[in-house]
Amino acid sequence: MAYSQSLNELISALSKLPGVGRKSAQRIAYHIVTSEKDYVKSLADAIMLARERTNYCAVCNDMTEDEICPICLSPKRDRSVICVVAEPKDVLAIEKTKEYKGLYHVLGGLISPMDGIGPEDISVSKLIGRITPEVTEVILATGLNVEGETTAMYIARMLSPLGVKTSRIAMGIPAGSELEYADEATIANALEGRREI
Ligand code: ZN
């Protein structure tokens, strides 16, 4: 079956979305071109608006619509603990547990020599700049896969001269899995069972 050029372009754009294969892209594209124009316009507008309004917090790099995110600004958060995660979606996963009351630091990736990602490509120096005497513990909550472990070990080494306690989330989460796929109880247990490194 031959698609028109515009439909083909839509399919190829959609198939670049994470988790969307060629078949799903075709199905979504077909749904879009057969939908009401008002709905399609609101969908396109919502995509543009979300993209335009999304920034990264100047302090912790989490996604936010403001200069500084609500967590960094909140007087209710415990400023003595910083939880280090790879991506903004990990903040969301930990927040869902409602157990953690400290601050976050989003690295924006993990060290991965295979993919050419080194320590200078993630937000480590900014994290080091955040270690004031007020901060007593840094929890390394990067995933328990190879990249997550490598990154955690590297950061622990960089932080050790600063005299801040560093801890690693427990092995409650199956090795190799990412935080976003773990349920809330598992994440809460992994945080609770963290050990000093
Ligand atoms: Zn923030």
Side-chain angles (χ1 to χ4, degrees):
M1 178 178 169
Y3 294 110
S4 66
Q5 195 192 337
S6 61
L7 191 49
N8 259 325
E9 279 168 16
L10 179 59
I11 292 166
S12 87
L14 288 168
S15 60
K16 290 187 181 120
L17 292 169
V20 178
R22 183 90 192 157
K23 272 235 163 70
S24 300
Q26 285 171 350
R27 207 159 49 230
I28 298 165
Y30 187 75
H31 174 76
I32 288 172
V33 297
T34 54
S35 292
E36 291 288 334
K37 281 187 181 172
D38 282 351
Y39 162 71
V40 177
K41 170 127 183 25
S42 67
L43 174 66
D45 288 349
I47 291 172
M48 277 311 294
L49 191 68
R51 179 62 195 91
E52 272 163 16
R53 290 214 182 142
T54 300
N55 291 314
Y56 294 93
C57 174
V59 177
C60 74
N61 305 324
D62 192 13
M63 277 198 300
T64 176
E65 288 198 3
D66 309 303
E67 170 85 16
I68 296 174
C69 77
I71 294 175
C72 285
L73 285 175
S74 170
K76 290 190 184 135
R77 306 296 297 216
D78 177 359
R79 300 189 168 266
S80 69
V81 191
I82 298 176
C83 181
V84 177
V85 296
E87 305 285 349
K89 63 189 178 196
D90 300 325
V91 172
L92 224 59
I94 295 174
E95 283 299 287
K96 272 201 295 190
T97 70
K98 295 188 173 72
E99 298 284 333
Y100 179 69
K101 298 285 173 244
L103 302 176
Y104 291 94
H105 189 82
V106 180
L107 296 168
L110 292 171
I111 297 169
S112 174
M114 293 261 286
D115 303 308
I117 303 168
E120 67 286 348
D121 299 314
I122 60 172
S123 181
V124 179
S125 51
K126 192 168 166 185
L127 170 66
I128 290 166
R130 292 182 65 191
I131 310 301
T132 58
E134 192 182 16
V135 180
T136 56
E137 182 181 2
V138 174
I139 303 171
L140 300 166
T142 51
L144 297 164
N145 51 12
V146 177
E147 292 82 10
E149 290 289 359
T150 306
T151 306
M153 290 309 128
Y154 175 81
I155 294 173
R157 209 160 56 236
M158 298 302 286
L159 293 180
S160 78
L162 303 178
V164 65
K165 176 178 156 188
T166 49
S167 58
R168 185 81 172 105
I169 49 168
M171 303 294 280
I173 299 167
S177 74
E178 292 182 50
L179 282 183
E180 65 174 313
Y181 301 120
D183 63 68
E184 282 133 55
T186 307
I187 295 174
N189 286 338
L191 275 171
E192 183 68 38
R194 67 185 184 270
R195 67 203 190 293
E196 198 170 342
I197 53 171

